[in-house]
Amino acid sequence: MNRRLLLIGALGLLAGCATTAPPVHAPAGSSLGELESLYSASAGRAALTIRVASNGCTKKEDFAFFVEKKGEAVTLAFGRKRLDPCRSFAMGHTDLTFTYAELGVAGRTPLFLLNPFYPWTGPGE
């Protein structure tokens, strides 16, 4: 069995629709449907920052990531491990920063992010 599909499936089991963002439906036959939807991703000099839905209590520890290295290509996927138990009246988001050392990749390595992106429709930016 393909290692990527197995680990993405495991991340999907952990994710469980825990966010305020509507689910994004992956193409038919794709195993990517259970990955966390992102509002944005930004690659800096020392770290990668992702913006995710939050009810106010989302922390970096609530996420798992999967890195697959094949030659020069590095594929990266994020999944939610725990639900955000807080209650919020307004749609919210938070930025989570993962250093390249935490992800196990060199800082100048090109990354292919597998997560779907969803446009921010809440208040503010």
Side-chain angles (χ1 to χ4, degrees):
M1 178 179 264
N2 185 328
R3 237 179 14 162
R4 179 185 295 162
L5 295 177
L6 179 64
L7 281 158
I8 289 173
L11 284 173
L13 290 174
L14 295 173
C17 298
T19 66
T20 57
V24 175
H25 300 288
S30 170
S31 62
L32 304 177
E34 297 298 325
L35 294 176
E36 183 73 14
S37 296
L38 306 179
Y39 291 126
S40 68
S42 176
R45 290 178 190 241
L48 176 72
T49 300
I50 58 173
R51 178 168 288 175
V52 298
S54 174
N55 291 328
C57 296
T58 300
K59 299 179 295 209
K60 186 168 143 178
E61 297 78 30
D62 297 334
F63 281 78
F65 59 86
F66 169 69
V67 176
E68 182 178 52
K69 299 174 187 175
K70 282 194 174 182
E72 294 180 24
V74 177
T75 305
L76 179 62
F78 289 92
R80 193 177 287 258
K81 295 189 295 187
R82 283 185 284 277
L83 298 174
D84 183 338
C86 291
R87 304 280 182 187
S88 175
F89 293 111
M91 185 176 186
H93 58 71
T94 191
D95 292 340
L96 305 174
T97 300
F98 296 85
T99 67
Y100 296 122
E102 286 176 300
L103 297 172
V105 298
R108 295 200 176 260
T109 302
L111 300 173
F112 294 88
L113 192 56
L114 296 176
N115 293 71
F117 283 87
Y118 190 82
W120 173 249
T121 57
E125 290 184 41

